Amino acid sequence: MRINWRIILVVIAIILVSGTIFYSQYVAGKIATEERKYVTVWAEAQRTILNTPDTASLNLATFISFENKEIPILETNEKDSITGNYLNLDSNFVQADPGYLQYKLSEFRRYNDKPIILVIKDSPYTANHYYYGQSKLLKEVKLYPLIQLVIVALFIAIAIMAVQSHYRGAENQLWASMARETAHQLGTPVSSLEGWLEILKQKKENEAIIPEITKDVNRLLLITDRFGKIGSQPKLEPGNPYEQIEQMITYMKKRSGAQVQFEFYPATLPVNPLLSAPLFDWVIENLIKNALDAMEGKGTIRIESHITSEGLMIDVTDTGKGIQSTHLNKVFKPGFTTKKRGWGLGLPLSKRIMEEYHNGKLFVKWSEAGKGTCFRLILPLPAKA
């Protein structure tokens, strides 16, 4: 059974953050309870300061009153009108903004709409209401889970990027090793075929078959060259993609049925993007083969290009069966195929060739069941001098 480390990391993060949130809420609740008790004691100290003639009690009440340096408190009268008395609020804001105290009162009411009531007289009824807000400590305790969530999210993101980087490195090494081994295995028999071809050329009775055998040998040489370029940075040279597309269409026409129609509409302006000709041919060939398989021997393959600010756009459209929406995000994954035969390597290789070697793009522009599919290639164009 394959372990999905990303899911495990996410689960661990959820457990950590959830536990921290629950615990911080528990601690915040205890702090809030203690702070209300403290504000109640502070309010009683105010009553003592107003009413007691006892010096010792007055000193104690004054000490309690001045000891509060954290909890912001705002006083209103029995009609809940602001008296102008407050504690632990910025006096500069109070003086600069006439509505500041009213704003803080609304904030404190949202936090706790039950003020501490200090009755001064019963008749006529006179009382002070004390609304209070959260202390700095309580705000920090509530903010802590959010900070931890950000830290854990960054940790997961870094871990995932590291895993993906390692995976991409291993995948690239696998591609390169497979390609080199394929080129190596093809090299010896192809060289042998070239030798036998030269022997066949020496006899006149073989003149009729020599051209076809030569084409097949050249084809094998091209395939060997393609695989040899995978895994190393190919040399890019200015090329004519229109000519290469036309040559590939001519080649594929002979290998498709009479019921398959090819249409090619090159852009009106000539372009010379940097290309690795063998690899670019391979991409076009893979897309045409993919279209032929989708059409099952009958339909139209339309290739058209145009120039935009992004570069040269090349759309390869077929009238085949289309790609199911559930498969759209899998078509470029190695090994994925809906064919009865095939290894599912053509499209992943093509995407790799376009993006890593040509700094371009390859993606599914659109696909609709029963109507066909359009693949888009983007080739960057050299900057004009």
Side-chain angles (χ1 to χ4, degrees), residues 241-242 245 264-267 271 273 280 303-316 354 361 363 365 375-381:
Y242 307 150
I245 293 172
F264 178 44
Y265 301 95
V271 290
F280 180 72
I303 303 177
E304 54 187 332
S305 62
H306 57 279
I307 300 171
T308 71
S309 57
E310 290 187 70
L312 177 64
M313 307 286 179
I314 302 173
D315 292 340
V316 181
M354 287 302 301
K361 295 179 181 179
F363 55 90
K365 183 182 177 185
F375 284 90
R376 168 163 286 186
L377 296 87
I378 301 180
L379 275 172
L381 297 176

Side-chain angles (χ1 to χ4, degrees), residues 89-240:
L89 293 177
D90 194 322
S91 58
N92 293 326
F93 286 153
V94 175
Q95 294 175 4
D97 184 2
Y100 179 72
L101 290 179
Q102 188 62 49
Y103 167 75
K104 298 302 290 186
L105 178 61
S106 299
E107 179 187 313
F108 293 169
R109 281 173 174 166
R110 286 194 299 271
Y111 171 61
N112 192 334
D113 61 355
K114 295 180 180 179
I116 306 298
I117 300 175
L118 175 61
V119 179
I120 299 174
K121 291 182 182 179
D122 291 324
S123 181
Y125 180 74
T126 306
N128 289 337
H129 295 180
Y130 294 101
Y131 291 91
Y132 64 95
Q134 301 178 69
S135 66
K136 183 178 179 181
L137 174 62
L138 184 56
K139 289 180 179 179
E140 289 175 350
V141 169
K142 289 185 174 181
L143 188 62
Y144 173 71
L146 297 177
I147 296 174
Q148 188 183 46
L149 180 61
V150 172
I151 293 173
V152 170
L154 287 174
F155 165 74
I156 292 176
I158 292 171
I160 289 175
M161 285 190 290
V163 171
Q164 288 179 336
S165 177
H166 175 74
Y167 173 76
R168 282 195 297 268
E171 186 183 61
N172 289 341
Q173 185 61 39
L174 178 62
W175 280 115
S177 299
M178 183 187 70
R180 290 194 190 101
E181 181 61 22
T182 303
H184 175 72
Q185 293 294 337
L186 285 173
T188 301
V190 171
S191 298
S192 179
L193 286 173
E194 286 184 295
W196 285 109
L197 182 59
E198 291 301 320
I199 293 174
L200 289 174
K201 288 180 180 179
Q202 296 174 8
K203 296 183 180 182
K204 291 186 178 181
E205 60 267 27
N206 295 326
E207 290 180 355
I209 63 173
I210 290 298
E212 295 303 319
I213 296 178
T214 301
K215 288 180 183 178
D216 289 335
V217 171
N218 289 337
R219 182 70 182 168
L220 288 171
L221 287 170
L222 175 62
I223 293 171
T224 304
D225 184 45
R226 287 173 175 174
F227 277 105
K229 285 181 168 59
I230 297 294
S232 59
Q233 190 62 39
K235 183 179 180 181
L236 302 182
E237 298 176 336
N240 188 333

